[in-house]
């Protein structure tokens, strides 16, 4: 245990961090939903290389370290998905958000338009009919001709319904108007822009007539249109996450209403979560999220961006730790780590003391009794102790413990140095 603590203390020193900083990072990670973030992660490359030494040598430590790192990596997708959903304040999927907003729009429209119907007067549908006739054309006596194309075929049924409707029946006129608006939207989404434009022109004429017939219809219509725009923001967010430049995406988001911004966020984060959930095991799922574009866009759009970015950064670090400990061989670094692991200050101190006092027989016994493993310190028991310290996580990290390891190691090194200087004199 003492040797293991000395090695970890060496790693702490190489990391350039204080024990308080390491303990604070691990504790903060635990409080922010990443209780598997360890002291080795917090120490950076120094901790990762120490953990790699324990994972390469035989013994229970290798099994424990590998099992822990593989199990932690298996949950990376779930943790990142949660970080994204919470960071963008989007607990619902994009489809769920669209369904919710559509239901809210329908309920609000039923209430508002219901009140409008009771107060409405006669609706002049002639301007809307004339608008349609300019497109489809009519014969003598305004007789309808056979449709020549798909646009005329789409307009003719609405023209027939408008010519038959009772202008005093505001509700009947309103049903025709809703059907026309739905047809225009479907045509637009299906790529039939010309058809959507012609139907939309007739809808606008009918809206003007209905607003003249009812004082409350204008506001109800505006509310319905805004709700429709908010629903459309979900799809805009989807497209922004997969293509587009930051210079266009941020103004587009900022131009939405508050409800529209929430819908935009849900659409934006949905493909990112899908990508994270669908990535294969062993892939660093945090890597696609570490770029300037996502950082800039999330800073504007995500209410919980600071916490989300910290969690994504830790996930990247945890992947790097796993890669360093169980990934490809790094011959030079491994050799250097093994050499460093072979310097036990306690054994060296004992030898120097015996030789300094002339007890050569005792020094020989120490060498023969310790054996090769004890002299190098790279034993299964030591590797297990190193792993136990490095995998400390959650609230188990103690800054005082790390500080004590540092102090004791420095004290032993100074003792050896003093003995060496005395022998020199």
């Amino acid at each position: 245990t003492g040797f293991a603590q000395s090695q970890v203390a060496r790693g702490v020193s190489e990391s350039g961090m204080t024990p308080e900083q390491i303990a604070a990072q691990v504790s903060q990670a635990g409080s922010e939903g990443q209780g598997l973030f360890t002291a080795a992660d917090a120490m950076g490359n120094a901790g990762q290389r120490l953990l790699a030494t324990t994972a390469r040598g035989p013994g229970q430590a290798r099994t424990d370290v590998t099992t822990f790192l593989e199990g932690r990596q298996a949950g990376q997708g779930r943790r990142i998905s949660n970080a994204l959903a919470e960071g963008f304040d989007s607990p619902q999927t994009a489809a769920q958000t669209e369904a919710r907003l559509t239901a809210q729009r329908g309920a609000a429209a039923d209430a508002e338009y219901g009140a409008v119907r009771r107060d409405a007067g006669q609706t002049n549908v002639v301007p809307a009919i004339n608008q349609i006739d300019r497109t489809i054309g009519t014969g003598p006596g305004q007789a309808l001709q056979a449709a020549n194309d798909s646009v005329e075929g789409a307009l003719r049924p609405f023209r027939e319904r408008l010519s038959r409707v009772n202008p005093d029946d505001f509700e009947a006129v309103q049903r025709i108007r809703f059907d026309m608006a739905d047809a225009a939207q479907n045509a637009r989404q299906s790529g039939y822009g010309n058809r959507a434009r012609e139907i939309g022109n007739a809808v606008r004429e009918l809206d003007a007539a209905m607003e003249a017939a009812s004082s409350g219809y204008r506001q109800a219509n505006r509310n319905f249109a805004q709700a429709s725009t908010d629903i459309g923001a979900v799809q805009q967010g989807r497209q922004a996450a997969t293509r587009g430049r930051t210079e266009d995406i941020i103004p587009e988001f900022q131009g939405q209403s508050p409800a529209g911004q929430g819908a935009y966020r849900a659409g934006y984060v949905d493909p990112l979560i899908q990508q994270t959930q669908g990535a294969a095991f062993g892939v660093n799922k945090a890597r696609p999220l570490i770029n300037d574009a996502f950082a800039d866009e999330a800073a504007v759009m995500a209410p919980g961006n600071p916490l989300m970015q910290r969690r994504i950064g830790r996930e990247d670090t945890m992947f790097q730790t796993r890669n360093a400990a169980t990934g490809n061989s790094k011959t030079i670094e491994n050799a250097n780590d093994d050499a460093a692991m072979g310097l036990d200050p306690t054994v060296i101190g004992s030898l120097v003391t015996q030789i300094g006092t002339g007890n050569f027989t005792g020094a020989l016994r120490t060498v023969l009794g310790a054996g090769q493993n004890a002299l190098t310190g790279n034993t299964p028991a030591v590797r297990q102790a190193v792993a136990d310290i490095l995998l400390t996580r959650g609230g188990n990290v103690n800054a005082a413990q790390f500080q004590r390891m540092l102090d004791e190691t420095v004290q032993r090194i100074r003792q050896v140095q003093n003995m060496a200087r005395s022998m020199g004199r």
Side-chain angles (χ1 to χ4, degrees):
T1 300
F3 183 81
Q5 291 178 347
S6 298
Q7 293 301 326
V8 174
R10 173 177 64 85
V12 172
S13 178
E14 290 178 0
S15 73
M17 302 177 65
T18 65
E20 289 79 6
Q21 290 173 327
I22 295 173
Q25 281 199 19
V26 177
S27 297
Q28 184 181 17
S31 66
E32 293 180 350
Q34 292 173 300
L36 298 179
F37 188 81
T38 67
D41 299 313
M43 291 164 62
N45 182 261
Q48 293 167 354
R49 297 308 305 161
L50 271 176
L51 197 62
T53 302
T54 68
R56 285 197 314 273
Q60 184 63 37
R62 177 167 60 186
T63 301
D64 292 346
V65 169
T66 302
T67 300
F68 171 78
L69 293 177
E70 294 300 317
R72 185 173 73 173
Q73 178 62 26
Q76 187 191 48
R78 182 182 65 256
R79 294 191 300 272
I80 293 179
S81 296
N82 291 338
L84 288 170
E86 293 171 10
F88 280 86
D89 191 23
S90 300
Q92 293 183 317
T93 67
Q96 291 171 338
T97 301
E98 284 179 320
R100 173 177 56 82
L101 292 175
T102 301
Q104 290 176 352
R105 180 186 66 178
D110 288 342
E112 293 179 348
Y113 286 124
V116 167
R117 295 184 193 111
R118 292 189 293 270
D119 302 330
Q122 188 179 79
T123 304
N124 182 13
V125 298
V126 174
I129 293 176
N130 291 338
Q131 176 64 41
I132 295 176
D133 285 349
R134 281 192 287 270
T135 301
I136 66 176
T138 58
Q142 292 187 328
L144 296 179
Q145 305 296 324
N148 292 320
D149 53 37
S150 62
V151 175
E152 293 185 6
L155 289 172
R156 178 167 175 163
F158 295 121
R159 203 279 189 190
E160 293 175 344
R161 292 175 63 183
L162 287 172
S163 64
R164 296 194 306 264
V165 72
N166 180 0
D168 293 324
D169 189 348
F170 190 86
E171 184 175 356
V173 176
Q174 192 176 42
R175 286 197 300 269
I176 299 174
R177 187 268 176 203
F178 285 156
D179 288 345
M180 293 174 66
D182 288 341
Q185 182 179 4
N186 291 335
R188 188 176 300 106
Q189 292 176 345
S190 301
Y192 300 107
N194 191 39
R195 185 187 308 175
R197 185 182 69 257
E198 294 296 342
I199 299 175
N201 290 337
V203 170
R204 282 188 288 274
E205 290 290 347
L206 195 54
D207 277 338
M210 295 176 71
E211 289 173 2
S214 172
S215 59
Y217 181 80
R218 182 189 300 270
Q219 187 59 48
N221 222 25
R222 289 177 176 174
N223 293 342
F224 188 90
Q226 182 60 59
S228 300
T229 301
D230 294 340
I231 295 172
V234 176
Q235 181 59 27
Q236 288 180 295
R238 282 197 192 98
Q239 295 175 349
T242 55
R243 61 180 181 270
R245 295 182 56 177
T246 301
E247 295 85 351
D248 298 324
I249 292 171
I250 291 178
E252 183 178 63
F253 169 79
Q254 292 173 328
Q256 305 288 336
S257 68
Q261 289 184 352
Y264 196 100
R265 287 196 296 268
Y268 181 92
V269 78
D270 201 65
L272 303 181
I273 293 177
Q274 290 180 23
Q275 175 182 312
T276 300
Q277 292 176 339
F281 174 80
V283 175
N284 184 5
K285 300 174 180 63
R287 183 65 188 88
L289 301 172
I290 302 176
N291 57 74
D292 293 340
F294 177 75
D296 292 342
E297 292 161 13
V300 175
M301 289 191 285
N305 183 59
L307 172 59
M308 179 182 68
Q309 294 292 356
R310 290 197 299 272
R311 293 169 72 178
I312 292 173
R314 290 193 198 102
E315 290 298 335
D316 183 62
T317 298
M318 288 190 281
F319 176 86
Q320 299 303 332
T321 298
R322 170 182 174 271
N323 191 51
T326 63
N328 297 328
S329 175
K330 300 180 180 180
T331 306
I332 297 178
E333 292 181 63
N334 292 345
N336 292 337
D337 287 335
D338 288 341
M341 186 67 90
L343 298 176
D344 184 350
T346 59
V347 175
I348 294 175
S350 176
L351 287 175
V352 172
T353 300
Q354 291 168 340
I355 294 174
T357 58
N359 185 6
F360 297 101
T361 302
L364 182 60
R365 288 198 190 98
T366 299
V367 173
L368 295 178
Q372 178 63 27
N373 285 340
L375 277 176
T376 63
N378 196 356
T379 65
V382 169
R383 289 194 295 272
Q384 182 68 57
V386 170
D388 291 342
I389 297 172
L390 291 176
L391 295 184
T392 303
R393 52 195 179 273
N396 297 324
V397 173
N398 189 323
Q401 175 190 12
F402 280 95
Q403 189 63 58
R404 184 169 60 253
M405 286 190 295
L406 278 177
D407 293 342
E408 292 175 355
T409 301
V410 171
Q411 183 179 3
R412 283 194 293 270
I413 292 174
R414 287 175 178 172
Q415 289 175 349
V416 172
Q417 291 174 340
N418 290 336
M419 293 175 186
R421 282 194 292 268
S422 297
M423 290 175 62
R425 289 195 295 271

